[in-house]
Amino acid sequence: QNQPIDPAACLFSAQWFRYYNPAEVDFRAADFRFYGYCDPSLGRTASSDYSAIVTLAVDRNTGLAYVWDADIQRRHPDKIIADILEKERLLRRETGRGYAQFQWFLKEQLARESARQGLYLPIQGVRSTEDKTMRVETLQPDVKNGYILFRRDQTLLLQQLSQFPLGAHDDGPDALEGARTGKRPKLCNRQKTHVRFVQFFTNERRPSMTIPYLNTARPVPMSDIPEEYRDIAEAIGLEAFTQLTLLCGGQSLYIPKRESLERNARDRD
């Protein structure tokens, strides 16, 4: 546990981190929207993982995401809920608006207490089934290109990022990824694979389904598709499945049920 960590084996370099001065950013500006995420380790013992509450302030004009707050500590579930609601109050006091969206696994508990206190947070429930390392790895281009900006005093988050995935704790990076992903448009919104566009943080829809790089992908045989996804590849075809991975790979994609697609047609009858 006390073995030194080789920075070359970690996914994030401290040299990539870009910082902002809070005194130079007007978070009350109309272009900012705030997105929160909680990685809720339940902190029952002194050796438990940290719980992390990360708030991103996203400038819809520039597309940049500022880590407005990174609160990483050990705490009990009741304290987690109390801290989330206090951050909502703080946001309203300091910026004139609250969260545009807050994501947490225990949606019902937070929603009840939020309503009881008259705050009514816009809470989105989360069920994460993807591998944590793969999810956090998707932050790499955004951090490296300076699309996510940090404060220098967010030392625990920066430490966990610089040691990921070899560090003892990764709750901060996980919550940062959750807050960033919470801001993504519902539809997959990528352009060329070798560039992570600032558009990632905007509400713009992809202008066209004709995307040149889809025709330049290296062929992948069906035998290389992981078994848990092979039935999808067989149902829609290997070429369509490959295009889906290029458009939406690494993202959480919600596919509606058939009956929900048919609901409008039934209502019109």
Side-chain angles (χ1 to χ4, degrees):
Q1 185 175 359
N2 295 322
Q3 298 262 336
I5 293 176
D6 179 9
C10 299
L11 291 179
F12 299 91
S13 168
Q15 296 178 347
W16 298 349
F17 300 151
R18 299 291 181 268
Y19 303 98
Y20 72 94
N21 182 351
E24 297 175 352
V25 183
D26 181 12
F27 288 117
R28 298 185 70 89
D31 287 324
F32 277 106
R33 292 293 181 272
F34 296 87
Y35 299 86
Y37 188 97
C38 179
D39 182 334
S41 169
L42 298 184
R44 298 187 186 281
T45 69
S47 60
S48 298
D49 281 344
Y50 294 92
S51 63
I53 306 170
V54 170
T55 303
L56 282 183
V58 179
D59 187 336
R60 296 186 301 170
N61 184 42
T62 66
L64 297 178
Y66 299 77
V67 182
W68 185 79
D69 182 58
D71 181 0
I72 305 172
Q73 57 180 291
R74 293 185 176 95
R75 53 195 145 194
H76 293 285
D78 290 347
K79 181 73 162 59
I80 295 175
I81 292 176
D83 287 351
I84 291 171
L85 297 180
E86 182 56 35
K87 291 181 191 306
E88 170 73 3
R89 293 188 186 91
L90 183 63
L91 272 175
R92 294 184 186 187
R93 288 197 303 269
E94 294 194 355
T95 72
R97 65 179 66 87
Y99 287 108
Q101 178 176 291
F102 194 97
Q103 296 191 82
W104 196 31
F105 291 87
L106 305 178
K107 174 183 176 181
E108 290 76 15
Q109 294 92 317
L110 180 58
R112 281 198 302 268
E113 187 61 21
S114 173
R116 190 185 72 81
Q117 297 189 27
L119 292 172
Y120 303 102
L121 265 69
I123 307 163
Q124 175 68 44
V126 179
R127 276 195 316 169
S128 179
T129 57
E130 298 176 53
D131 177 77
K132 180 183 290 190
T133 300
M134 293 179 65
R135 283 190 289 107
V136 174
E137 188 177 6
T138 66
L139 286 170
Q140 200 178 50
D142 296 335
V143 173
K144 189 172 185 178
N145 288 295
Y147 300 156
I148 297 178
L149 304 174
F150 304 89
R151 292 203 321 259
R152 291 188 181 275
D153 63 353
Q154 294 166 344
T155 52
L156 190 51
L157 172 61
L158 296 169
Q159 179 189 66
Q160 290 187 4
L161 275 171
S162 63
Q163 295 179 352
F164 187 87
L166 303 180
H169 301 282
D170 53 19
D171 313 272
D174 193 29
L176 177 62
E177 187 278 331
R180 187 283 311 268
T181 301
K183 177 59 192 83
R184 291 181 183 177
K186 296 291 184 184
L187 298 178
C188 302
N189 195 16
R190 289 190 182 173
Q191 305 257 340
K192 296 183 180 178
T193 54
H194 63 281
V195 177
R196 176 81 103 208
F197 283 101
V198 177
Q199 200 179 44
F200 211 50
F201 289 102
T202 73
N203 290 323
E204 297 174 8
R205 299 295 188 189
R206 193 171 58 254
S208 171
M209 286 299 292
T210 304
I211 303 177
Y213 75 82
L214 293 180
N215 299 321
T216 63
R218 180 179 301 174
V220 178
M222 184 67 75
S223 58
D224 287 349
I225 303 297
E227 285 189 7
E228 62 265 36
Y229 302 112
R230 203 168 292 169
D231 58 340
I232 299 176
E234 290 173 349
I236 68 175
L238 190 57
E239 181 179 355
F241 183 82
T242 303
Q243 293 185 0
L244 186 64
T245 63
L246 290 170
L247 282 169
C248 305
Q251 300 188 37
S252 298
L253 177 63
Y254 173 75
I255 299 176
K257 294 181 179 179
R258 178 61 182 265
E259 51 263 34
S260 67
L261 296 177
E262 298 174 342
R263 186 176 299 122
N264 288 338
R266 288 200 308 268
D267 291 345
R268 286 193 297 268
D269 291 341

